[in-house]
Amino acid sequence: MRYYRVQGLTEKSGDMKLLLENIKVLYFASDCVEPYVEIITVKDSKRRLSLCSSQGSEAEEPEDQEEVDLPVLGDHSQLLDEHHLKRIPARTQGYKWQLVYSTAIHGSSLKTLYRNMADLDSPVLLVIKDMHKKVFGAFSSEPFRVSKYCYGTGETFLFSFNPDFQVRAYRWSGENSYFVSSNLESLAIGGGGGRFGLWLDDDLYHGSSFSCPTFHNESLSSHEDFIVQDLEIWTVQN
């Protein structure tokens, strides 16, 4: 992966004007990811580095130690209750979430999942319960869609709840940018070395979870190969 950081004057174009000191321009490109340029503030860059360094941690403390509202679910959830919501990772807090896909309501079909998300333009929260009652999932900075490229940003992460409702969140390691890979045959989050952090088949029935370079995660499920009991996807309600 090529990764350029431009701060102040760029080296490739002498006639470009001086960039503001608190702005960074990031260029990303790899064989898997469609090249893109992202402009972020220095403050946001430091926050992302902080997130990336907290691999395998529980939910982070809110910035500036301010009290943060718990996430609000606009619909009934088969998988999340108040114990989960109190522990769910900080990136999901302070928003009202709307249910956009549920295997209990819409059936088990990856095509239906994509169809229900076709008009979305906001982050999504994927929650799974396996046949051993383990609850885990992923936060994606972009809605899932059919794509020949990997997509997403460093805000994407994996998470898993322990039986006592403690949550482990696995942030971007910075090692690669294989955040989300999705087509009509499967949906995968995190990857590298032939292993996916979270993988689901087109029936949303068989899945697997292995340690992967993208997040340096442990297996999220009770077993590396698992059967889905229920699955839900939530998005931020506008």
Side-chain angles (χ1 to χ4, degrees), residues 219-230:
S219 177
L220 305 179
S221 51
S222 303
H223 303 280
E224 290 177 335
D225 295 305
F226 62 88
I227 301 296
V228 176
Q229 176 177 311
D230 288 298

Side-chain angles (χ1 to χ4, degrees), residues 171-191:
R171 306 288 177 173
W172 180 37
S173 68
E175 190 167 332
N176 63 40
S177 298
Y178 302 157
F179 300 116
V180 181
S181 175
S182 52
N183 53 46
L184 293 176
E185 287 75 42
S186 64
L187 167 64
I189 303 171

Side-chain angles (χ1 to χ4, degrees), residues 170-217:
Y170 300 96
R171 306 288 177 173
W172 180 37
S173 68
E175 190 167 332
N176 63 40
S177 298
Y178 302 157
F179 300 116
V180 181
S181 175
S182 52
N183 53 46
L184 293 176
E185 287 75 42
S186 64
L187 167 64
I189 303 171
R195 291 173 171 252
F196 299 106
L198 180 58
W199 177 90
L200 295 165
D201 71 358
D202 59 345
D203 290 325
L204 302 179
Y205 183 69
H206 292 97
S208 63
S209 177
F210 294 89
S211 176
C212 72
T214 311
F215 302 109
H216 288 178
N217 58 290

Side-chain angles (χ1 to χ4, degrees), residues 19 29-30 41 48 61 69 91 106 132 148 195:
L19 297 173
S30 75
T41 65
R48 293 186 184 187
E61 292 294 330
D69 292 335
R91 183 65 178 86
H106 304 101
H132 296 276
K148 65 179 181 179
R195 291 173 171 252

Side-chain angles (χ1 to χ4, degrees), residues 32-222:
C32 175
V33 183
E34 185 176 14
Y36 65 93
V37 173
E38 186 174 0
I39 300 176
I40 62 173
T41 65
V42 172
K43 179 179 179 181
D44 191 37
S45 176
K46 290 180 178 178
R47 181 182 66 81
R48 293 186 184 187
L49 289 174
S50 175
L51 290 177
C52 294
S53 65
S54 59
Q55 302 165 20
S57 64
E58 296 181 2
E60 303 81 8
E61 292 294 330
E63 291 186 6
D64 301 325
Q65 302 301 311
E66 294 179 355
E67 185 177 351
V68 177
D69 292 335
L70 295 178
V72 176
L73 302 184
D75 302 282
H76 173 71
S77 174
Q78 303 272 358
L79 307 181
L80 298 174
D81 58 28
E82 61 178 335
H83 300 291
H84 295 105
L85 296 179
K86 288 178 180 178
R87 298 290 187 178
I88 204 163
R91 183 65 178 86
T92 66
Q93 295 174 352
Y95 298 100
K96 187 171 183 179
W97 293 85
Q98 177 182 359
L99 185 67
V100 293
Y101 180 83
S102 168
T103 51
I105 299 172
H106 304 101
S108 298
S109 168
L110 190 56
K111 289 182 180 179
T112 304
L113 184 155
Y114 293 142
R115 185 164 57 247
N116 285 16
M117 305 180 74
D119 297 326
L120 297 184
D121 187 24
S122 57
V124 294
L125 182 68
L126 166 66
V127 185
I128 297 169
K129 179 186 284 187
D130 67 17
M131 287 298 185
H132 296 276
K133 310 302 181 183
K134 185 73 178 292
V135 177
F136 53 92
F139 174 90
S140 174
S141 59
E142 299 180 27
F144 303 128
R145 63 182 184 272
V146 176
S147 176
K148 65 179 181 179
Y149 295 106
C150 291
Y151 56 91
T153 71
E155 291 184 318
T156 302
F157 61 84
L158 302 174
F159 65 89
S160 179
F161 284 97
N162 295 330
D164 60 357
F165 299 105
Q166 294 292 326
V167 66
R168 299 290 298 275
Y170 300 96
R171 306 288 177 173
W172 180 37
S173 68
E175 190 167 332
N176 63 40
S177 298
Y178 302 157
F179 300 116
V180 181
S181 175
S182 52
N183 53 46
L184 293 176
E185 287 75 42
S186 64
L187 167 64
I189 303 171
R195 291 173 171 252
F196 299 106
L198 180 58
W199 177 90
L200 295 165
D201 71 358
D202 59 345
D203 290 325
L204 302 179
Y205 183 69
H206 292 97
S208 63
S209 177
F210 294 89
S211 176
C212 72
T214 311
F215 302 109
H216 288 178
N217 58 290
E218 300 174 2
S219 177
L220 305 179
S221 51
S222 303

